[in-house]
Amino acid sequence: MHRPRIMHLPDLSLISTDRIPASFIKSELPVDVLRLDKVHDVISGNKWFKLHKYLEIAQAEKKSRIISFGGPWSNHIIAVAAAARIYGYASMGFIRGEKNETLTPILQQCQDWGMELCFLDRSEFDQEKFPERMIKEDDLLIPMGGYGIQGMEGAGTILDHCRQQDYTHFCCATGTGTMMAGLLNKITADQTVIGFSAVKNDPVLEDHIRKLLPDYRGPVHFETDKRFGGFARYNEELINFMNELFEASSIPTDIVYTAKLCYAVIHKIRAGEFAAGSRVLIIHSGGLTGNYSVKNGLLIM
Ligand SMILES: *Cc1c(COP(=O)(O)O)cnc(C)c1O
């Protein structure tokens, strides 16, 4: 398996805005993709943006260890493990579910980079019952998915890497909603953010987003995955779409977030759901490590 080189910081100068060919979209509406996936193999996409303000706190407060939380396939937890390693912090991950005999490739790499893994029973994890005795004073706790004011503000700086005024719509994938909140915090009144949830139905997403933005009174537009069966599920249609998009544009996507995002946006455009004159920016939030769970040989990227 491909072992990423991690011992370097994310490089934001690699971010580009790539146009998807109109022949692929089957529409004249311009659709650009903000390639946050390019900044790093592992601390890719929105993960770096959501983490960097927490890392500043760790430095300012002279913390020695970083702790965070996630599932066994979490892009967040692998990004935390890599960032901790690069910055010279110890790290610990609380992982949802029992320890299996073989670790997922994500957790294997976390462990290789020095992260201590602590498995918690699913119900304890979901109720956030984390063993207090394991947490020390010089630990920095980063909430799951980087959810919090620092994560939201860090995500808002994503828009510093494009010509924000050129777009009417920003389309992003959502998990915890931290990134979407950051984007909503930065747009002007004539711009719209549309979130595409990676989860089938998520009744708390809007509340979580509004909680990060107490002064925001505008709409929170989001759609949930109705087609592919829910979180991290994929089928032949999605795999074919990913391969076709890659052939047409050289843009790789992942099965969990960005492929479903691109699929949904392009189908909305084909269905005429964006007004003429709209200029759409799709935020490529990275996450290509999500494809570790895809059977070998299905993807060409
Ligand atoms: C983690 C992740 C998300 C979800 O971000 P939230 O801020 O939790 O909503 C979206 N896309 C990719 C590729 C991710 O890895």
Side-chain angles (χ1 to χ4, degrees):
M1 199 184 64
H2 168 65
R3 293 261 158 190
R5 283 188 327 114
I6 63 153
M7 298 309 288
H8 60 98
L9 285 171
D11 182 354
L12 303 188
S13 73
L14 298 174
I15 297 172
S16 60
T17 324
D18 298 354
R19 176 75 42 98
I20 303 181
S23 56
F24 184 75
I25 312 264
K26 303 195 180 83
S27 159
E28 290 308 313
L29 221 72
V31 181
D32 288 345
V33 179
L34 186 65
R35 297 288 308 278
L36 306 180
D37 57 306
K38 289 172 153 187
V39 305
H40 194 275
D41 275 353
V42 173
I43 316 172
S44 83
N46 68 2
K47 296 300 177 281
W48 170 250
F49 287 91
K50 293 196 289 177
L51 282 176
H52 75 260
K53 289 196 189 278
Y54 291 106
L55 293 166
E56 282 167 18
I57 296 179
Q59 265 170 332
E61 297 183 359
K62 303 206 168 19
K63 301 291 190 186
S64 63
R65 186 168 67 159
I66 295 179
I67 297 181
S68 200
F69 314 88
W73 290 99
S74 164
N75 294 337
H76 166 73
I77 212 78
I78 194 174
V80 169
R85 172 74 182 258
I86 292 167
Y87 278 85
Y89 296 105
S91 66
M92 181 163 75
F94 285 109
I95 309 301
R96 184 174 188 272
E98 305 75 51
K99 184 172 183 185
N100 285 333
E101 245 161 71
T102 52
L103 292 175
T104 61
I106 298 277
L107 293 182
Q108 185 61 54
Q109 287 188 357
C110 290
Q111 199 172 60
D112 292 349
W113 298 330
M115 180 178 258
E116 183 185 345
L117 302 176
C118 177
F119 291 84
L120 291 179
D121 167 289
R122 287 185 177 77
S123 72
E124 283 175 20
F125 186 98
D126 292 345
Q127 295 165 48
E128 300 185 14
K129 284 193 193 146
F130 305 114
E132 299 281 339
R133 63 191 157 74
M134 297 186 71
I135 299 169
K136 298 175 300 185
E137 208 172 306
D138 59 350
D139 288 334
L140 179 78
L141 261 66
I142 300 181
M144 185 154 67
Y147 177 85
I149 295 297
Q150 285 82 12
M152 183 275 286
E153 287 180 349
T157 66
I158 287 172
L159 294 181
D160 298 344
H161 297 274
C162 67
R163 290 168 54 87
Q164 185 183 334
Q165 69 279 11
D166 285 0
Y167 299 99
T168 57
H169 293 78
F170 301 90
C171 299
C172 69
T174 68
T176 62
T178 311
M179 168 172 56
M180 183 171 178
L183 301 176
L184 284 169
N185 197 35
K186 287 291 284 291
I187 57 166
T188 54
D190 54 351
Q191 294 177 317
T192 305
V193 177
I194 311 176
F196 293 84
S197 173
V199 182
K200 216 190 298 188
N201 41 52
D202 187 351
V204 290
L205 180 62
E206 179 166 350
D207 288 349
H208 283 177
I209 290 172
R210 290 199 184 275
K211 214 159 136 193
L212 293 175
L213 300 170
D215 300 326
Y216 178 75
R217 297 280 173 273
V220 174
H221 295 288
F222 66 89
E223 303 194 359
T224 57
D225 168 33
K226 289 184 256 341
R227 201 182 285 255
F228 298 109
F231 192 73
R233 306 261 176 141
Y234 64 93
N235 61 17
E236 202 182 326
E237 187 181 359
L238 188 68
I239 297 290
N240 290 341
F241 172 79
M242 292 165 77
N243 287 334
E244 287 161 15
L245 176 64
F246 185 72
E247 274 182 346
S249 66
S250 305
I251 300 173
T253 50
D254 78 287
I255 54 154
V256 184
Y257 295 104
T258 56
K260 290 172 184 173
L261 164 68
C262 291
Y263 185 102
V265 172
I266 290 172
H267 282 78
K268 269 175 90 70
I269 292 174
R270 289 180 187 161
E273 292 179 36
F274 285 88
S278 301
R279 295 178 308 279
V280 178
L281 184 71
I282 295 178
I283 311 289
H284 193 318
S285 40
L288 298 174
T289 48
N291 290 340
Y292 287 173
S293 67
V294 178
K295 262 208 335 251
N296 274 343
L298 289 182
L299 293 171
I300 60 173
M301 58 209 65

